[in-house]
Amino acid sequence: MTLSATELDRLDPLAAVRGDFFVVDPDLIYLDGNSLGRLPRSVPATLADAVTRQWGEGLVRSWAEWFDLPQRLGTKLAPIIGAEPDTTLVCDSTTQNLYRLAWAVLARNPHRNRIVTDDQNFPSDLYVLRAVAAQFGGSLTIVASNGVEGPVAGIQDALGDDVGLLSLSLVAYQSGYLYDGKSMSALARSVGALVLWDLSHAAGAVEISLRDWGADMAVGCGYKYLNGGPGAPAFLYVRADLSDELSSPIPGWFGHEDAFAFRREYRPVAGVGRFLVGTPPVLSSLAMEAGLDILNQVGVPAVREKSMLQTRLFLELWQDRLVQHGLSLASPTDPDRRGAHITLAHADALAISQALIHRKKVIPDFRPPNGLRLGLSPLYTSFADIEEAVVRVESVMREGSYEPYRGERPRIT
Ligand SMILES: *Cc1c(COP(=O)(O)O)cnc(C)c1O
C-alpha cells in the first residue's frame, strides 16, 4: 500500500467539505451516497425560509422567484456536466426526462426506429427505451456485456443505418463501469445516430464534458452524487443547436413560448425549455441548490481525483482482507474505467448487506443478483471511513454474522 488512510486524510484537500453536510452519528459509515446523497447543512434553513416566508407570507407573489427554477438550477448544474449555458434544465424524474428525449429523437426521424443500449443499463431506462422504439414500429437492441466492462465492440457491431438513438449509462449502476463518453459519442455520430447519456451515477462523481464530447442529449438524477435530497428533480440536457429540431411528446404550458398568455395553440419556446411540462416541485427544487453550490465550489476535477484515490485504497484493502472471504470484484480494475462505487459479488450479498446495516453501522446497498454495492461519495467519505468499513465487512465474514439474514428480502435494498 502506498499511503495509509490516515496519511491520505491528512493530505486530503477536500477533508473540510464533510463539514458542509449533516453527519449525525460519526460512527455510522455511509456508503450509499450514490443512491441518496447526504443532507447539506444549509438545506433546513433554506426550506424553512421557502415555507414560511416565500409560501406562507409571499403566497402566489413568490412565483416571481420560483417560475424559472428549472433554468436557474440548470445553469448551476451546467459546469458539473460540462454543458454550455442555457442547455440544461432541472425538472421531473430521470425516467420521465429519458422518455421525452428518446421519443423526440425517434419522432424527428421515424425511419431510424431502432435504439441501441447495453445490458448494464438501469432497468427503468430499458423499459422506456423499449416502449419508445415500439411506439415507432422499431425495436430495442440490448448488447450483452460480461457484467463488468461495457461492451464497446458489441455496440459498434449493433449500430446501423436504422438506428436513431444510442442510449447508455455513462457509469453503470451495478458494476460502476465508466464509458469513454467522447469516443462513444463520436461512434454514434459516425453512423448518423444521436446519443443520449444517462448520467445518474456519474454527475458529481466523474468528469463530464458534454459539449466537448459533442454529446447530443443527457439525463440524470438529482438525489445521488448531487445531494439534492429525496424526490429531488432530475435534469436533462440537449445540445444547443439540436433542441429546436426536437419536439416534446408532452406539450405542456411550461414549455410554451408564453405560458401566461394562455393561448389555445401550443407554440414551443425556442431552446431546451420546450421539454418542460408543468409546474415544478418548488420545495424540492430549492432543496437541491445547496448540493450544486458545494460541487461548484469544490469543482468536479478535485472530486474525481479524490474518488480515484478512494477506490484504489478500497481495492488494496479488499485484496488484503476480503478476497479470502469469497468476495470477488464485480467492478473494473482499470481506474480510468470506473466511477465512484465498487461492487463486490457474493452469493450471500443481500444477507451481508443486512448484517452490515443492522449490526455494524455500515450502510451499503444490494443489487441483484449478487452485488454488495459500496458507494464512496468523495465529498463526505473519509479514507478512514473506507478502511474501517473494510474492517467491519471482514468481521461480518469472519463471524458469519450474515447467516441469520439469509432468506430475508426487505422491500427496499
Ligand atoms: C437512479 C437511476 C434512475 C432513477 O430514475 P428516476 O426516474 O429518477 O427514479 C434512472 N436511471 C439510472 C441509470 C439510475 O441510476
Side-chain angles (χ1 to χ4, degrees), residues 44-56:
T46 301
L47 284 181
D49 177 73
V51 171
T52 55
R53 182 184 64 81
Q54 297 178 43
W55 177 12

Side-chain angles (χ1 to χ4, degrees), residues 108-109 112 160-161 163-165 186-195:
R108 172 174 170 262
N109 186 354
R112 285 178 168 261
D161 59 12
V163 174
L165 183 67
L187 180 62
R189 200 160 51 242
S190 72
V191 299
L194 298 184
V195 69

Side-chain angles (χ1 to χ4, degrees), residues 93-96 121-122 124-125 169 173 198 200-201 221 223-224 234:
S93 73
T94 307
T95 306
Q96 290 166 346
N121 208 348
F122 194 70
S124 196
D125 294 42
S169 285
Y173 80 103
D198 190 326
S200 291
H201 281 279
C221 277
Y223 49 79
K224 293 174 178 169

Side-chain angles (χ1 to χ4, degrees), residues 44-387:
T46 301
L47 284 181
D49 177 73
V51 171
T52 55
R53 182 184 64 81
Q54 297 178 43
W55 177 12
E57 195 182 317
L59 295 165
V60 77
R61 293 168 291 185
S62 292
W63 270 108
E65 289 174 68
W66 298 334
F67 188 71
D68 62 355
L69 268 172
Q71 290 89 345
R72 195 163 69 74
L73 294 175
T75 301
K76 289 201 171 189
L77 174 71
I80 296 167
I81 58 173
E84 54 276 57
D86 302 324
T87 54
T88 307
L89 299 171
V90 167
C91 60
D92 306 301
S93 73
T94 307
T95 306
Q96 290 166 346
N97 292 344
L98 184 82
Y99 177 81
R100 295 201 300 290
L101 294 183
W103 186 96
V105 171
L106 268 64
R108 172 174 170 262
N109 186 354
H111 300 298
R112 285 178 168 261
N113 58 5
R114 191 156 63 86
I115 301 179
V116 173
T117 188
D118 72 4
D119 65 358
Q120 296 210 41
N121 208 348
F122 194 70
S124 196
D125 294 42
L126 301 181
Y127 310 150
V128 161
L129 297 172
R130 189 184 288 124
V132 169
Q135 264 184 288
F136 289 89
S139 61
L140 176 66
T141 301
I142 303 175
V143 180
S145 69
N146 64 7
V148 176
E149 310 283 334
V152 175
I155 286 170
Q156 193 154 7
D157 293 343
L159 293 173
D161 59 12
D162 60 337
V163 174
L165 183 67
L166 171 64
S167 187
L168 297 165
S169 285
L170 186 65
V171 173
Y173 80 103
Q174 286 165 307
S175 73
Y177 175 81
L178 166 62
Y179 272 106
D180 178 339
K182 187 173 185 172
S183 68
M184 296 307 288
S185 299
L187 180 62
R189 200 160 51 242
S190 72
V191 299
L194 298 184
V195 69
L196 199 177
W197 288 106
D198 190 326
L199 305 177
S200 291
H201 281 279
V206 302
E207 287 174 89
I208 300 166
S209 309
L210 293 175
R211 185 204 343 224
D212 296 346
W213 297 349
D216 302 296
M217 290 158 294
V219 297
C221 277
Y223 49 79
K224 293 174 178 169
Y225 293 103
L226 301 181
N227 303 303
F235 62 86
L236 66 82
Y237 161 86
V238 181
R239 179 162 54 78
D241 52 340
L242 176 64
S243 40
D244 290 348
E245 294 175 28
L246 300 176
S247 57
S248 172
I250 307 181
W253 70 311
F254 269 66
H256 195 281
E257 63 175 11
D258 192 357
F260 278 87
F262 295 101
R263 298 199 205 293
R264 294 223 168 77
E265 298 308 317
Y266 180 70
R267 300 247 325 243
V269 68
V272 70
R274 63 185 53 200
F275 284 101
L276 290 177
V277 179
T279 305
V282 170
L283 297 178
S284 44
S285 298
L286 291 170
M288 195 170 158
E289 191 160 8
L292 297 176
D293 286 339
I294 293 170
L295 268 167
N296 278 315
Q297 271 157 26
V298 171
V300 177
V303 173
R304 175 65 172 159
E305 199 173 317
K306 178 171 178 180
S307 173
M308 289 179 85
L309 290 172
Q310 295 203 307
T311 51
R312 188 175 78 180
L313 174 71
F314 181 88
L315 289 183
E316 285 169 359
L317 295 163
W318 161 76
Q319 193 68 263
D320 287 350
R321 293 165 170 267
L322 302 181
V323 172
Q324 57 198 306
H325 295 288
L327 285 155
S328 61
L329 183 63
S331 292
T333 48
D334 177 358
D336 291 325
R337 292 275 66 84
R338 65 173 179 253
H341 69 269
I342 299 277
T343 297
L344 301 179
H346 191 286
D348 283 312
L350 176 55
I352 295 166
S353 77
Q354 292 298 301
L356 286 166
I357 294 166
H358 297 299
R359 300 196 175 187
K360 299 289 176 181
K361 284 198 183 186
V362 177
I363 305 190
D365 61 22
F366 165 76
R367 288 294 175 265
N370 61 356
L372 178 69
R373 193 173 67 160
L374 304 135
L376 312 178
S377 193
L379 290 177
Y380 45 73
T381 305
S382 69
F383 292 91
D385 284 342
I386 292 170
E387 180 165 41

